[in-house]
């Protein structure tokens, strides 16, 4: 394709550039299921189960959703996952794709909360998939920022509405699924 640089109307160049970018954008995209640590089939299955539960009038909870989406087989309330994972699963304070983020049980979250890391945006921001942050809803790719003074992911804020981060929550850490 030859471009005539003598053609001046810039108002036509911009739409042409946008069209060219759109045509080539799909070439470089990575499928979610191709990202190490996040199993797209598990996530899709977890979303489908939650959707079916809501349709049947049942409650959608964070624990079964995270267990189904991550493949980490732990039972019990979210605030028990960190302790139960000890000696069974690798744990730490660095977010990785596919890891379960364990929120501590506190007065704000008496039973804790868990979510699955879907993307590491930067050393201070991740995206998560989780359920029941908004009552009976599944939230995909919700932003979380690390607000801990030592950048150790011990305290975070979750984007509760677009552009708005809520309260500070204490985090126990991240539980990593065994590699297949």
């Amino acid at each position: 394709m030859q471009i005539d640089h003598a053609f001046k109307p810039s108002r036509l160049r911009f739409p042409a550039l946008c069209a060219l970018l759109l045509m080539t954008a799909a070439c470089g995209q990575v499928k979610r299921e191709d990202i190490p640590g996040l199993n797209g089939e598990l996530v899709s299955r977890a979303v489908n189960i939650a959707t079916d539960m809501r349709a049947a009038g049942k409650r959608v909870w964070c624990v079964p959703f995270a267990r189904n989406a991550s493949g980490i087989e732990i039972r019990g309330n979210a605030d028990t996952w960190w302790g139960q994972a000890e000696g069974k699963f690798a744990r730490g304070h660095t977010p990785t794709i596919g890891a379960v983020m364990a929120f501590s049980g506190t007065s704000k979250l008496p039973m804790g909360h868990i979510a699955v890391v879907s993307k590491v945006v930067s050393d201070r921001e991740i995206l998560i998939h989780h359920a029941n942050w908004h009552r009976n809803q599944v939230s995909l790719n919700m932003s979380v920022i690390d607000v801990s003074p030592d950048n150790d992911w011990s305290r975070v804020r979750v984007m509760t509405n677009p552009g708005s981060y809520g309260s500070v929550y204490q985090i126990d850490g991240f539980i990593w699924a065994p590699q297949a």
Side-chain angles (χ1 to χ4, degrees):
M1 176 174 163
Q2 184 176 1
I3 299 174
D4 182 3
H5 294 288
F7 187 68
K8 297 285 185 202
S10 61
R11 61 189 165 143
L12 294 178
R13 284 187 190 165
F14 183 72
L17 177 61
C18 289
L20 180 62
L21 289 173
L22 284 173
M23 288 188 298
T24 60
C27 299
Q29 288 185 349
V30 176
K31 294 179 184 173
R32 175 70 57 201
E33 56 269 16
D34 293 340
I35 297 173
L38 189 64
N39 183 321
E41 288 180 27
L42 289 180
V43 172
S44 293
R45 181 175 173 268
V47 170
N48 289 337
I49 290 170
T51 301
D52 292 346
M53 289 179 71
R54 281 192 62 207
K58 296 179 182 174
R59 185 77 183 265
V60 176
W61 295 99
C62 66
V63 168
F65 178 83
R67 183 175 44 247
N68 291 335
S70 69
I72 294 177
E73 286 295 327
I74 297 178
R75 305 270 174 195
N77 289 339
D79 65 334
T80 69
W81 273 51
W82 183 252
Q84 287 189 65
E86 187 173 12
K88 296 177 189 168
F89 298 95
R91 306 181 314 167
H93 299 282
T94 304
T96 58
I97 296 170
V100 169
M101 181 174 167
F103 290 69
S104 304
T106 64
S107 60
K108 284 192 264 182
L109 291 173
M111 293 188 293
H113 185 72
I114 54 175
V116 179
V117 178
S118 59
K119 182 177 184 178
V120 177
V121 177
S122 70
D123 65 339
R124 301 287 289 216
E125 182 184 8
I126 60 174
L127 302 182
I128 58 172
H129 296 333
H130 59 153
N132 207 35
W133 192 258
H134 296 292
R135 187 174 172 85
N136 218 26
Q137 301 288 323
V138 170
S139 301
L140 301 177
N141 293 314
M142 189 176 271
S143 177
V144 178
I145 54 172
D146 174 21
V147 294
S148 58
D150 296 327
N151 191 23
D152 62 3
W153 286 92
S154 60
R155 298 174 59 77
V156 302
R157 292 178 70 203
V158 179
M159 184 180 286
T160 55
N161 294 303
S164 174
Y165 288 88
S167 300
V168 175
Y169 292 94
Q170 185 175 329
I171 302 298
D172 289 325
F174 297 90
I175 304 167
W176 300 299
Q179 296 300 310

